[in-house]
Amino acid sequence: MLKRPLLFLTLIFISVLGLFPQFTQASEVPKPVGDLYVQDTAHILTNEEREELISLARVLDDETSAQIAVLTMDKLDGHVEKAQFANKAYREYGLGKKDEDNGVLILFVKNYWENNREAVQVEVGYGLEGALPDGKVGRIIDQYMKPHIEAGNDGLAITETYQQLAKEVAKEYGISFDHLGDNQGSNVAQHQEEGLPAWVVFILIIVFAILIFLDMKYFGGTFTHILIQILSSLLRSGGRDGGGSDRRGGGGSAGGGGAGRNF
């Protein structure tokens, strides 16, 4: 007599258990594509904003070894907490330098499960907790992210917050990035090598053309062939300083420092 009710209860129990994973399982951290610094899976940033952040991040990385990355998500599956997910993503991306743990991750969630609105969590590595204590990170979010989110400009909210965090990190290393708070990301170029003037490039092209002509006429193109081989090898190998290879992290130890907000 009891078999059928027990079987029925067992089936209900199994069915209920099958629902729990959607509330308990953590979202998978997306694999980085291109430079680690900007992983915009929610497609919030414009191309200009993305390139501006990557440019700034490369300069900061080169001059301090610190890495600040942005990860945007449309939502977090399974109702996972944003702080838990940010810590997991930080570790998987290995932000910062291994021996210094000097990384920062800005997690931006477009549709957070608690209120189905925007949320942000900034995760700070052990090595930068002195430069970016929880209170300071919270104030940066409130001052530079919140107003733009309320105005409906998530991209500007992310870029300005990134810039302010970068300024604090740079200050920790005794480096000053001028005008970062003025939405003038192109000013970061002053910390990079400036391109040659157009007239110099033009003269160099003419000189090379003459040398190639003389080489072809009197030496059968021997030197031209060697030059092409060298250039081909350099292009294939890319290079860190020249921006030919994607940037990756080497650290990844975070103790939960930082701050978060729901909007």
Side-chain angles (χ1 to χ4, degrees), residues 45-216:
L45 301 171
T46 64
N47 289 334
E48 291 76 14
E49 290 170 337
R50 179 179 179 277
E51 293 304 318
E52 178 182 330
L53 292 183
I54 290 176
S55 176
L56 171 56
R58 281 177 173 263
V59 174
L60 189 69
D61 192 350
D62 289 340
E63 298 193 14
T64 69
S65 79
Q67 294 180 324
I68 302 179
V70 172
L71 171 60
T72 69
M73 303 283 290
D74 182 59
K75 61 181 179 179
L76 297 183
D77 297 333
H79 289 192
V80 64
E81 292 285 349
K82 62 181 184 295
Q84 174 190 353
F85 186 82
N87 185 274
K88 179 182 179 183
Y90 181 102
R91 292 174 180 271
E92 289 194 16
Y93 285 172
L95 293 173
K97 191 175 180 179
K98 184 176 181 180
D99 297 333
E100 299 183 26
D101 296 324
N102 50 350
V104 178
L105 176 69
I106 304 171
L107 171 66
F108 187 92
V109 185
K110 183 67 177 176
N111 299 290
Y112 193 49
W113 64 271
E114 288 183 347
N115 53 17
N116 201 36
R117 298 190 65 181
E118 295 91 345
V120 64
Q121 183 72 34
V122 177
E123 187 76 10
V124 179
Y126 285 114
L128 290 176
E129 288 183 343
L132 292 171
D134 298 357
K136 179 181 287 186
V137 173
R139 289 191 295 272
I140 289 174
I141 294 174
D142 292 338
Q143 183 176 353
Y144 295 97
M145 181 166 281
K146 183 179 179 181
H148 293 303
I149 289 178
E150 292 177 344
N153 195 333
D154 294 344
L156 190 57
I158 293 172
T159 55
E160 286 206 355
T161 300
Y162 191 108
Q163 290 169 355
Q164 293 305 314
L165 292 171
K167 289 175 72 173
E168 294 298 327
V169 172
K171 189 187 303 181
E172 178 74 2
Y173 288 88
I175 298 171
S176 176
F177 288 118
D178 296 331
H179 308 302
L180 288 185
D182 301 327
N183 286 325
Q184 297 179 6
S186 59
N187 288 325
V188 177
Q190 65 184 314
H191 299 275
Q192 300 173 316
E193 288 188 344
E194 296 184 356
L196 293 173
W199 65 270
V200 175
V201 175
F202 180 72
I203 292 176
L204 288 175
I205 291 174
I206 294 177
V207 170
F208 274 112
I210 294 174
L211 291 176
I212 291 173
F213 172 77
L214 294 175
D215 178 41
M216 290 291 186

Side-chain angles (χ1 to χ4, degrees), residues 220-260:
T222 301
F223 297 105
T224 301
H225 178 74
I226 294 174
L227 179 61
I228 291 174
Q229 291 296 319
I230 294 174
L231 290 175
S232 178
S233 177
L234 289 173
L235 289 174
R236 285 196 301 268
S237 63
R240 180 177 177 84
D241 294 332
S245 59
D246 295 332
R247 303 295 181 94
R248 291 291 181 265
S253 180

